[in-house]
Amino acid sequence: ETKEEYYDLIVIDVNNTESEENISPPLWLFDENVLNKIKGMLKGNGMFVCNLLANNYKRYWDAFDKMKQVFGMMRYVDNNEDMNKILFCFKNKITEEELNERERNNFDKMKNKEIADVSIIEGDHDEIIGRIRNVDNLNKH
């Protein structure tokens, strides 16, 4: 049991591709009830981050579609493989300008070492931002 609207961020990165399911994280995570529970645990501006990787095309897109149905807004970054994406699932939909402003503010804080030392990723920031894709504009299948 956990309080609703308690977390700013929930991250799941589990390697399950060696199992018979051939999808990471495990299939049970993509149950609508489980995803709604995760969404309910997020604060209003919270975000769920998930590294989605699969060896089965249909299972991959089924999981992707389920997450898209549950969360108000999603973005992803390709992880250099066709079926490996880092998904950023927002509890509530925000405008592109709000998203860009949040990103700028967070990066400025990190550069000023208010949150973390980002000297390792400092040069990668533009590349990472350039790889972010809007799920709403995604042509899949």
PDB file of all heavy atoms in Angstrom, residues 92-109:
ATOM      1  N   ASN A  92      -0.283  13.799 -16.314  1.00  0.00           N
ATOM      2  CA  ASN A  92      -1.196  14.726 -16.970  1.00  0.00           C
ATOM      3  C   ASN A  92      -0.543  15.315 -18.202  1.00  0.00           C
ATOM      4  O   ASN A  92       0.668  15.492 -18.247  1.00  0.00           O
ATOM      5  CB  ASN A  92      -1.579  15.858 -16.011  1.00  0.00           C
ATOM      6  CG  ASN A  92      -2.356  15.341 -14.823  1.00  0.00           C
ATOM      7  OD1 ASN A  92      -3.346  14.645 -14.977  1.00  0.00           O
ATOM      8  ND2 ASN A  92      -1.884  15.651 -13.632  1.00  0.00           N
ATOM      9  N   LYS A  93      -1.360  15.635 -19.176  1.00  0.00           N
ATOM     10  CA  LYS A  93      -0.858  16.235 -20.406  1.00  0.00           C
ATOM     11  C   LYS A  93      -0.458  17.680 -20.141  1.00  0.00           C
ATOM     12  O   LYS A  93      -1.144  18.402 -19.436  1.00  0.00           O
ATOM     13  CB  LYS A  93      -1.929  16.180 -21.491  1.00  0.00           C
ATOM     14  CG  LYS A  93      -1.403  16.468 -22.856  1.00  0.00           C
ATOM     15  CD  LYS A  93      -2.386  16.054 -23.920  1.00  0.00           C
ATOM     16  CE  LYS A  93      -1.693  16.153 -25.266  1.00  0.00           C
ATOM     17  NZ  LYS A  93      -2.423  15.500 -26.312  1.00  0.00           N
ATOM     18  N   ILE A  94       0.685  18.061 -20.677  1.00  0.00           N
ATOM     19  CA  ILE A  94       1.136  19.441 -20.578  1.00  0.00           C
ATOM     20  C   ILE A  94       1.452  19.929 -21.985  1.00  0.00           C
ATOM     21  O   ILE A  94       1.624  19.130 -22.908  1.00  0.00           O
ATOM     22  CB  ILE A  94       2.369  19.577 -19.656  1.00  0.00           C
ATOM     23  CG1 ILE A  94       3.546  18.722 -20.153  1.00  0.00           C
ATOM     24  CG2 ILE A  94       2.024  19.212 -18.229  1.00  0.00           C
ATOM     25  CD1 ILE A  94       4.813  18.880 -19.332  1.00  0.00           C
ATOM     26  N   THR A  95       1.541  21.231 -22.159  1.00  0.00           N
ATOM     27  CA  THR A  95       1.834  21.782 -23.476  1.00  0.00           C
ATOM     28  C   THR A  95       3.299  21.572 -23.815  1.00  0.00           C
ATOM     29  O   THR A  95       4.130  21.337 -22.931  1.00  0.00           O
ATOM     30  CB  THR A  95       1.518  23.289 -23.531  1.00  0.00           C
ATOM     31  OG1 THR A  95       2.435  23.978 -22.675  1.00  0.00           O
ATOM     32  CG2 THR A  95       0.080  23.576 -23.119  1.00  0.00           C
ATOM     33  N   GLU A  96       3.611  21.680 -25.091  1.00  0.00           N
ATOM     34  CA  GLU A  96       5.005  21.571 -25.521  1.00  0.00           C
ATOM     35  C   GLU A  96       5.861  22.640 -24.851  1.00  0.00           C
ATOM     36  O   GLU A  96       6.987  22.387 -24.463  1.00  0.00           O
ATOM     37  CB  GLU A  96       5.111  21.695 -27.045  1.00  0.00           C
ATOM     38  CG  GLU A  96       4.599  20.499 -27.798  1.00  0.00           C
ATOM     39  CD  GLU A  96       5.404  19.240 -27.547  1.00  0.00           C
ATOM     40  OE1 GLU A  96       6.647  19.314 -27.462  1.00  0.00           O
ATOM     41  OE2 GLU A  96       4.788  18.173 -27.433  1.00  0.00           O
ATOM     42  N   GLU A  97       5.315  23.839 -24.717  1.00  0.00           N
ATOM     43  CA  GLU A  97       6.066  24.924 -24.073  1.00  0.00           C
ATOM     44  C   GLU A  97       6.343  24.595 -22.607  1.00  0.00           C
ATOM     45  O   GLU A  97       7.451  24.813 -22.111  1.00  0.00           O
ATOM     46  CB  GLU A  97       5.318  26.257 -24.184  1.00  0.00           C
ATOM     47  CG  GLU A  97       6.067  27.423 -23.578  1.00  0.00           C
ATOM     48  CD  GLU A  97       7.485  27.608 -24.118  1.00  0.00           C
ATOM     49  OE1 GLU A  97       7.714  27.424 -25.324  1.00  0.00           O
ATOM     50  OE2 GLU A  97       8.379  27.939 -23.311  1.00  0.00           O
ATOM     51  N   GLU A  98       5.351  24.046 -21.894  1.00  0.00           N
ATOM     52  CA  GLU A  98       5.560  23.647 -20.499  1.00  0.00           C
ATOM     53  C   GLU A  98       6.614  22.543 -20.407  1.00  0.00           C
ATOM     54  O   GLU A  98       7.456  22.552 -19.509  1.00  0.00           O
ATOM     55  CB  GLU A  98       4.248  23.171 -19.871  1.00  0.00           C
ATOM     56  CG  GLU A  98       3.247  24.262 -19.631  1.00  0.00           C
ATOM     57  CD  GLU A  98       1.888  23.716 -19.224  1.00  0.00           C
ATOM     58  OE1 GLU A  98       1.417  22.730 -19.833  1.00  0.00           O
ATOM     59  OE2 GLU A  98       1.296  24.290 -18.292  1.00  0.00           O
ATOM     60  N   LEU A  99       6.564  21.602 -21.339  1.00  0.00           N
ATOM     61  CA  LEU A  99       7.540  20.518 -21.362  1.00  0.00           C
ATOM     62  C   LEU A  99       8.943  21.071 -21.608  1.00  0.00           C
ATOM     63  O   LEU A  99       9.895  20.708 -20.915  1.00  0.00           O
ATOM     64  CB  LEU A  99       7.173  19.505 -22.443  1.00  0.00           C
ATOM     65  CG  LEU A  99       8.073  18.278 -22.569  1.00  0.00           C
ATOM     66  CD1 LEU A  99       8.039  17.442 -21.305  1.00  0.00           C
ATOM     67  CD2 LEU A  99       7.663  17.450 -23.768  1.00  0.00           C
ATOM     68  N   ASN A 100       9.065  21.962 -22.579  1.00  0.00           N
ATOM     69  CA  ASN A 100      10.366  22.567 -22.875  1.00  0.00           C
ATOM     70  C   ASN A 100      10.876  23.384 -21.698  1.00  0.00           C
ATOM     71  O   ASN A 100      12.062  23.339 -21.363  1.00  0.00           O
ATOM     72  CB  ASN A 100      10.284  23.441 -24.123  1.00  0.00           C
ATOM     73  CG  ASN A 100      10.057  22.625 -25.371  1.00  0.00           C
ATOM     74  OD1 ASN A 100      10.367  21.445 -25.420  1.00  0.00           O
ATOM     75  ND2 ASN A 100       9.492  23.244 -26.389  1.00  0.00           N
ATOM     76  N   GLU A 101      10.000  24.124 -21.042  1.00  0.00           N
ATOM     77  CA  GLU A 101      10.389  24.932 -19.885  1.00  0.00           C
ATOM     78  C   GLU A 101      10.849  24.044 -18.734  1.00  0.00           C
ATOM     79  O   GLU A 101      11.856  24.321 -18.077  1.00  0.00           O
ATOM     80  CB  GLU A 101       9.222  25.825 -19.442  1.00  0.00           C
ATOM     81  CG  GLU A 101       9.549  26.742 -18.292  1.00  0.00           C
ATOM     82  CD  GLU A 101      10.579  27.804 -18.638  1.00  0.00           C
ATOM     83  OE1 GLU A 101      10.740  28.134 -19.834  1.00  0.00           O
ATOM     84  OE2 GLU A 101      11.243  28.303 -17.705  1.00  0.00           O
ATOM     85  N   ARG A 102      10.137  22.958 -18.499  1.00  0.00           N
ATOM     86  CA  ARG A 102      10.530  22.010 -17.449  1.00  0.00           C
ATOM     87  C   ARG A 102      11.911  21.441 -17.745  1.00  0.00           C
ATOM     88  O   ARG A 102      12.759  21.344 -16.871  1.00  0.00           O
ATOM     89  CB  ARG A 102       9.501  20.881 -17.342  1.00  0.00           C
ATOM     90  CG  ARG A 102       9.799  19.912 -16.216  1.00  0.00           C
ATOM     91  CD  ARG A 102       8.921  18.699 -16.226  1.00  0.00           C
ATOM     92  NE  ARG A 102       7.555  18.994 -15.891  1.00  0.00           N
ATOM     93  CZ  ARG A 102       6.643  18.046 -15.673  1.00  0.00           C
ATOM     94  NH1 ARG A 102       6.962  16.781 -15.772  1.00  0.00           N
ATOM     95  NH2 ARG A 102       5.410  18.374 -15.379  1.00  0.00           N
ATOM     96  N   GLU A 103      12.133  21.083 -19.003  1.00  0.00           N
ATOM     97  CA  GLU A 103      13.429  20.532 -19.398  1.00  0.00           C
ATOM     98  C   GLU A 103      14.539  21.562 -19.201  1.00  0.00           C
ATOM     99  O   GLU A 103      15.594  21.247 -18.654  1.00  0.00           O
ATOM    100  CB  GLU A 103      13.379  20.082 -20.865  1.00  0.00           C
ATOM    101  CG  GLU A 103      14.690  19.591 -21.415  1.00  0.00           C
ATOM    102  CD  GLU A 103      15.204  18.351 -20.726  1.00  0.00           C
ATOM    103  OE1 GLU A 103      14.412  17.564 -20.200  1.00  0.00           O
ATOM    104  OE2 GLU A 103      16.443  18.173 -20.713  1.00  0.00           O
ATOM    105  N   ARG A 104      14.314  22.783 -19.633  1.00  0.00           N
ATOM    106  CA  ARG A 104      15.328  23.838 -19.469  1.00  0.00           C
ATOM    107  C   ARG A 104      15.631  24.075 -17.989  1.00  0.00           C
ATOM    108  O   ARG A 104      16.789  24.168 -17.588  1.00  0.00           O
ATOM    109  CB  ARG A 104      14.844  25.147 -20.106  1.00  0.00           C
ATOM    110  CG  ARG A 104      15.045  25.216 -21.609  1.00  0.00           C
ATOM    111  CD  ARG A 104      14.792  26.615 -22.138  1.00  0.00           C
ATOM    112  NE  ARG A 104      13.436  27.067 -21.934  1.00  0.00           N
ATOM    113  CZ  ARG A 104      12.420  26.844 -22.766  1.00  0.00           C
ATOM    114  NH1 ARG A 104      12.623  26.167 -23.875  1.00  0.00           N
ATOM    115  NH2 ARG A 104      11.208  27.288 -22.501  1.00  0.00           N
ATOM    116  N   ASN A 105      14.586  24.168 -17.176  1.00  0.00           N
ATOM    117  CA  ASN A 105      14.784  24.400 -15.739  1.00  0.00           C
ATOM    118  C   ASN A 105      15.553  23.264 -15.087  1.00  0.00           C
ATOM    119  O   ASN A 105      16.461  23.494 -14.283  1.00  0.00           O
ATOM    120  CB  ASN A 105      13.447  24.607 -15.025  1.00  0.00           C
ATOM    121  CG  ASN A 105      12.812  25.927 -15.365  1.00  0.00           C
ATOM    122  OD1 ASN A 105      13.475  26.861 -15.809  1.00  0.00           O
ATOM    123  ND2 ASN A 105      11.503  26.010 -15.179  1.00  0.00           N
ATOM    124  N   ASN A 106      15.182  22.037 -15.399  1.00  0.00           N
ATOM    125  CA  ASN A 106      15.869  20.896 -14.809  1.00  0.00           C
ATOM    126  C   ASN A 106      17.318  20.836 -15.244  1.00  0.00           C
ATOM    127  O   ASN A 106      18.209  20.553 -14.445  1.00  0.00           O
ATOM    128  CB  ASN A 106      15.153  19.590 -15.168  1.00  0.00           C
ATOM    129  CG  ASN A 106      13.891  19.402 -14.368  1.00  0.00           C
ATOM    130  OD1 ASN A 106      13.742  19.959 -13.287  1.00  0.00           O
ATOM    131  ND2 ASN A 106      12.965  18.634 -14.900  1.00  0.00           N
ATOM    132  N   PHE A 107      17.580  21.105 -16.507  1.00  0.00           N
ATOM    133  CA  PHE A 107      18.963  21.046 -16.981  1.00  0.00           C
ATOM    134  C   PHE A 107      19.793  22.165 -16.348  1.00  0.00           C
ATOM    135  O   PHE A 107      20.938  21.947 -15.950  1.00  0.00           O
ATOM    136  CB  PHE A 107      19.023  21.115 -18.503  1.00  0.00           C
ATOM    137  CG  PHE A 107      20.403  20.812 -19.031  1.00  0.00           C
ATOM    138  CD1 PHE A 107      20.951  19.546 -18.899  1.00  0.00           C
ATOM    139  CD2 PHE A 107      21.148  21.795 -19.638  1.00  0.00           C
ATOM    140  CE1 PHE A 107      22.219  19.267 -19.357  1.00  0.00           C
ATOM    141  CE2 PHE A 107      22.425  21.521 -20.115  1.00  0.00           C
ATOM    142  CZ  PHE A 107      22.960  20.254 -19.970  1.00  0.00           C
ATOM    143  N   ASP A 108      19.195  23.361 -16.226  1.00  0.00           N
ATOM    144  CA  ASP A 108      19.917  24.457 -15.572  1.00  0.00           C
ATOM    145  C   ASP A 108      20.256  24.111 -14.126  1.00  0.00           C
ATOM    146  O   ASP A 108      21.355  24.385 -13.657  1.00  0.00           O
ATOM    147  CB  ASP A 108      19.097  25.752 -15.617  1.00  0.00           C
ATOM    148  CG  ASP A 108      19.065  26.376 -17.002  1.00  0.00           C
ATOM    149  OD1 ASP A 108      19.914  26.006 -17.849  1.00  0.00           O
ATOM    150  OD2 ASP A 108      18.189  27.221 -17.245  1.00  0.00           O
ATOM    151  N   LYS A 109      19.318  23.482 -13.430  1.00  0.00           N
ATOM    152  CA  LYS A 109      19.579  23.073 -12.047  1.00  0.00           C
ATOM    153  C   LYS A 109      20.726  22.068 -11.991  1.00  0.00           C
ATOM    154  O   LYS A 109      21.606  22.169 -11.139  1.00  0.00           O
ATOM    155  CB  LYS A 109      18.325  22.459 -11.428  1.00  0.00           C
ATOM    156  CG  LYS A 109      17.270  23.462 -11.067  1.00  0.00           C
ATOM    157  CD  LYS A 109      16.069  22.753 -10.471  1.00  0.00           C
ATOM    158  CE  LYS A 109      14.949  23.725 -10.176  1.00  0.00           C
ATOM    159  NZ  LYS A 109      13.764  23.028  -9.646  1.00  0.00           N
TER     160      LYS A 109
END
